[in-house]
């Protein structure tokens, strides 16, 4: 916080890089002393599985003697997260995977810490939201122009207990009265996911609550069923997620049964908005999108001939890196950025030029979104002609230009368009709790965490406690027409198996949960 006040903005990225590198080096030294390398463990796991890394000899610094260090599973990171067993966080499948009756007497607590907001909510099984709370980190990350993972984790750790307590208090209930606890375990930032997962595991053990692992993107898609009602948003439907970290088009056939029609190859739309806003000198605290949208109202969207991304690729994938670069080049040429860093704008200097760049950028960004969504509707109807609606989620959906464009596309396609309320488009606890209700009803929950094991965890270093976090967890398989993962910009290391449904492969086409929707 001190550095954010005294360090010029153009140097903050360098400061963050220095602090992060120093922290990583410190952790490497600590791990080396404990017998853990940056790539895995020294020696074999106790369960006799394959050797994870060839660092068995000379692990004692300066000793010169050969030895093998055997460590517990807590220290054994895997190249791919183990989701094949279906067991994530608890003590095995709840009631052997049998369906559970979820109704108005069912109370599910949802916990969300996947990125930069700490959120919790209590939702009834019939879709009534009893209480919710959120601790925003916008003031923490705003001065840095983006999310700083270490700061996000620390803020989660400080806020998690109070946020959960506030959600329970607003709901007028206690932890003892809950039916289950649902928690986001991926995708997201590992160090942030861990905070929420450990809180959920502690509550599961203490109050003997079933625990429901939740996929962050699925939660965004399913919350529309709570808002509009399960009778209006029936499977199958087409979902568009547009946020700071995700751009994705998916066909939803059922809970846990999704096909990815397209996703971002580099920057998401919200990220491109934020970075361009920062280059223009606009305030980015809480997101630069609203500031850029407001400035664009004063500009000429045809002034700059920016390219519409990926026009030569007739698929549904997104890419905003090139458009962002084009905007940056225009800013450097017509406004001036010195060495290319973002500048702090006084609100007056070259205002019209900045407004024209903002308007031109937004016009092409939204056009790209429009072209991809139109093609996705055609693709989805080829496989699932009985689409019920289009669901739009994510913070960028609050943008008036984006929203009006999507409304026109839906009208032309003769499909209802469903927007959750703005507060539930961004990350929140309600979407996690409702996703927990849907998955609990289908038997996709786990038995309570073993209380004895949790008591043992309390005596351990938190880094030694194994959490099956899934920071890179696909929501489903990619459509055959989508860009495959062998391109250079797609990172494939440590990607978990795709989310699955009730039968472990292709899920059912519906859910036994019913929600009337909200007014």
């Amino acid at each position: 916080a001190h550095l954010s006040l005294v360090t010029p903005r153009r140097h903050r990225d360098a400061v963050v890089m220095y602090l992060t590198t120093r922290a990583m080096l410190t952790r490497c030294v600590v791990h080396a002393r404990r017998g853990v390398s940056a790539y895995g463990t020294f020696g074999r796991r106790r369960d006799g599985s394959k050797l994870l890394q060839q660092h068995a000899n000379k692990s004692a610094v300066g000793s010169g003697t050969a030895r093998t260090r055997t460590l517990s599973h807590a220290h054994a990171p895997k190249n791919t997260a183990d989701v094949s067993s279906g067991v994530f966080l608890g003590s095995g499948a709840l009631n052997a995977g049998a369906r559970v009756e979820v109704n108005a007497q069912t109370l599910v607590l949802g916990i969300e810490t996947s990125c930069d907001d700490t959120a919790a909510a209590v939702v009834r099984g019939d879709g009534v939201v009893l209480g919710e709370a959120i601790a925003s980190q916008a003031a923490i990350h705003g001065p840095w122009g983006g999310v700083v993972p270490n700061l996000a984790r620390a803020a989660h750790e400080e806020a998690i207990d109070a946020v959960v307590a506030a959600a329970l208090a607003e709901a007028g209930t206690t932890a003892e009265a809950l039916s289950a606890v649902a928690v986001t375990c991926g995708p997201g930032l590992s160090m942030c996911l861990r905070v929420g997962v450990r809180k959920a595991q502690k509550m599961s053990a203490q109050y003997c609550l079933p625990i429901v692992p939740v996929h962050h993107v699925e939660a965004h898609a399913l919350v529309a069923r709570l808002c509009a009602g399960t009778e209006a948003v029936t499977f199958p439907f087409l979902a568009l997620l547009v946020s700071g970290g995700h751009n994705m088009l998916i066909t939803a056939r059922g809970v846990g049964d999704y096909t990815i029609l397209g996703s971002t190859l580099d920057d998401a739309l919200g990220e491109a908005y934020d970075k361009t806003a920062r280059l223009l000198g606009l305030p980015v605290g809480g997101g630069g999108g609203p500031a850029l949208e407001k400035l664009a109202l004063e500009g000429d969207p045809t002034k700059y001939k920016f390219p519409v991304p990926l026009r030569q690729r007739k698929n549904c994938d997104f890419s905003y890196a090139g458009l962002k670069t084009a905007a940056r080049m225009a800013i450097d040429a017509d406004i001036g950025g010195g060495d290319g860093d973002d500048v702090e704008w006084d609100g007056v200097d070259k205002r019209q030029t900045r407004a024209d760049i903002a308007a031109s950028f937004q016009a092409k960004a939204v056009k790209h979104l429009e072209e991809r969504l139109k093609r996705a509707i055609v693709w989805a109807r080829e496989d699932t002609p009985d689409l019920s609606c289009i669901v739009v989620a994510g913070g960028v959906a609050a943008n008036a230009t984006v929203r009006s464009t999507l409304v026109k596309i839906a009208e032309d396609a003769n499909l209802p368009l469903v927007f959750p309320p703005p507060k539930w488009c961004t990350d929140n606890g309600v979407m996690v709790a409702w996703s927990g209700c849907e998955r609990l009803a289908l038997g996709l929950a786990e038995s309570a965490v073993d209380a004895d094991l949790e008591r043992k965890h309390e005596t351990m270093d938190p880094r030694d406690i194994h959490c099956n976090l899934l920071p890179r967890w696909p929501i489903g398989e990619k459509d055959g027409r989508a860009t495959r993962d062998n391109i250079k910009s797609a990172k494939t290391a440590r990607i978990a198996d795709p989310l699955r449904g009730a039968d472990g492969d292709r899920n059912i086409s519906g859910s036994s949960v019913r929600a009337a929707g909200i007014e």
Side-chain angles (χ1 to χ4, degrees), residues 125-433:
D126 59 352
V128 175
V129 179
L130 299 179
E132 59 178 315
I134 187 167
S136 174
Q137 298 182 14
I140 297 174
H141 302 293
W144 303 98
V147 176
V148 183
N150 284 334
L151 297 181
R153 177 192 59 192
H156 284 309
E157 292 172 342
E158 183 177 351
I160 186 66
D161 291 339
V163 167
V164 170
L168 290 170
E170 184 176 308
T173 189
T174 63
E176 291 87 348
L178 295 173
S179 306
V181 55
V183 61
T184 304
C185 58
L189 299 173
S190 291
M191 61 179 65
C192 296
L193 291 167
R194 174 179 283 270
V195 177
V197 167
R198 288 297 300 132
K199 177 63 176 179
Q201 288 179 321
K202 290 175 183 177
M203 293 186 68
S204 174
Q206 182 177 356
Y207 302 106
C208 198
L209 298 173
I211 188 168
V212 188
V214 169
H215 190 288
H216 180 77
V217 177
E218 181 181 50
H220 272 299
L222 293 182
V223 74
R225 285 170 49 83
L226 176 148
C227 302
T230 52
E231 296 301 321
V233 184
T234 60
F235 296 109
F237 62 84
L238 178 65
L240 167 65
L241 179 60
V242 279
S243 68
H246 301 280
N247 257 96
M248 190 173 292
L249 282 158
I250 58 176
T251 303
R253 297 184 181 84
V255 176
D257 184 2
Y258 305 94
T259 298
I260 302 173
L261 300 177
S263 58
T264 184
L265 303 180
D266 38 62
D267 290 348
L269 178 55
E271 182 182 7
Y273 262 97
D274 289 346
K275 289 182 178 179
T276 303
R278 191 165 69 249
L279 291 169
L280 287 168
L282 302 175
V284 297
L292 188 146
E293 179 189 10
K294 183 178 179 180
L295 181 62
L297 295 174
E298 305 175 24
D300 178 4
T302 64
K303 181 70 173 179
Y304 289 86
K305 308 302 180 183
F306 294 149
V308 177
L310 296 184
R311 275 215 156 150
Q312 301 305 313
R313 295 192 185 185
K314 305 302 181 181
N315 58 27
C316 299
D317 289 312
F318 300 90
S319 172
Y320 286 99
L323 178 58
K324 181 192 65 180
T325 300
R328 181 179 193 132
M329 292 174 65
I331 292 168
D332 287 345
D334 294 352
I335 298 176
D339 56 4
D341 288 339
D342 51 309
V343 295
E344 296 183 7
W345 182 40
D346 60 6
V348 177
D349 181 52
K350 297 185 178 179
R351 185 179 185 90
Q352 189 59 50
T353 301
R354 295 174 194 270
D356 290 341
I357 292 175
S360 300
F361 166 84
Q362 179 169 257
K364 295 303 190 290
V366 175
K367 186 64 176 179
H368 182 41
L369 188 68
E370 175 187 347
E371 292 177 353
R372 266 31 202 176
L373 179 57
K374 285 181 176 179
R375 185 173 291 114
I377 294 172
V378 174
W379 283 14
R381 278 180 162 165
E382 289 177 0
D383 297 328
T384 51
D386 54 340
L387 288 177
S388 67
C389 62
I390 301 173
V391 169
V392 182
V396 181
N399 180 295
T401 303
V402 171
R403 186 176 286 253
S404 61
T405 300
L406 297 181
V407 168
K408 180 65 167 57
I409 295 171
E411 289 177 350
D412 293 344
N414 195 28
L415 284 171
L417 188 65
V418 179
F419 288 101
K423 67 176 181 178
W424 293 341
C425 282
T426 54
D427 294 352
N428 61 88
V430 171
M431 69 179 194
V432 178

Side-chain angles (χ1 to χ4, degrees), residues 444-514:
L444 300 171
E446 298 173 24
S447 299
V449 174
D450 183 80
D452 291 336
L453 177 62
E454 190 56 42
R455 280 191 289 270
K456 180 181 178 182
H457 285 167
E458 292 177 359
T459 66
M460 298 169 59
D461 185 320
R463 292 170 298 179
D464 293 341
I465 300 173
H466 174 67
C467 287
N468 199 4
L469 307 174
L470 305 172
R472 306 194 68 203
W473 188 15
I475 193 173
E477 299 287 353
K478 277 195 171 185
D479 185 279
R481 294 161 289 189
T483 302
R484 309 313 297 169
D485 289 334
N486 58 358
I487 62 173
K488 291 183 179 180
S489 61
K491 301 174 183 178
T492 58
R494 295 185 177 275
I495 297 180
D497 295 336
L499 177 69
R500 63 186 196 174
D503 63 3
D505 185 16
R506 305 299 291 175
N507 192 25
I508 62 170
S509 59
S511 171
S512 58
V513 178
R514 294 291 179 267

